[in-house]
Amino acid sequence: MMFLNINSRGLPKGIQVGTDSKSLVLEVDGDMANVKCYGSKVPLHKIEVWGCGGHDVKQAQTHQRQWEKKEVEKQAQRKLQLESWSDTPDRQLLEMGGVRTTYSECLKNSDSD
């Protein structure tokens, strides 16, 4: 069993290898600074990662990365079609949560007085 945790709060962060969660052989902590092998803790100086797969897997990975890059560029160029800040769902959610979003409107009203 190999387990990687970078988000869950209830579990130890890092990489764990063993037959099950109770009998771990190798543990790398969440900040990748230390490694524990059969209970002996030592600092981690280098890590080397190898990937296994054929030429088809590499092509699929390259294709996926190109597609993701195009999608990011498309989303960055997309313009929001909103009339004003008062129409946005973000503002409505903030106001439902008790956050005051009308500071600029108060300033506009005091300037016109």
Side-chain angles (χ1 to χ4, degrees):
M1 171 199 83
M2 183 171 178
F3 181 71
L4 169 67
N5 178 27
I6 55 174
N7 293 327
S8 296
R9 292 183 184 177
L11 301 169
K13 292 192 177 8
I15 301 170
Q16 300 174 342
V17 179
T19 55
D20 59 32
S21 61
K22 302 287 185 198
S23 59
L24 297 173
V25 176
L26 183 73
E27 297 176 72
V28 180
D29 61 9
D31 58 358
M32 302 288 180
N34 298 303
V35 96
K36 191 189 289 185
C37 183
Y38 291 106
S40 299
K41 189 173 182 179
V42 294
L44 182 63
H45 298 289
K46 288 186 194 178
I47 192 164
E48 186 173 326
V49 179
W50 286 56
C52 299
H55 182 66
D56 295 339
V57 174
K58 179 67 174 168
Q59 283 183 330
Q61 186 181 43
T62 303
H63 179 70
Q64 179 68 25
R65 285 184 181 163
Q66 289 171 348
W67 178 83
E68 288 174 1
K69 186 177 178 182
K70 286 178 191 175
E71 288 298 310
V72 167
E73 290 170 358
K74 267 200 265 185
Q75 294 300 323
Q77 295 174 359
R78 194 178 77 155
K79 297 191 187 299
L80 295 176
Q81 302 296 324
L82 299 172
E83 296 296 321
S84 69
W85 166 245
S86 61
D87 298 335
T88 65
D90 294 333
R91 179 179 177 184
Q92 294 169 0
L93 284 171
L94 287 169
E95 288 178 349
M96 281 188 246
V99 177
R100 185 174 161 198
T101 61
T102 57
Y103 292 109
S104 61
E105 291 173 11
C106 292
L107 289 173
K108 287 178 188 175
N109 291 339
S110 66
D111 289 344
S112 63
D113 291 341

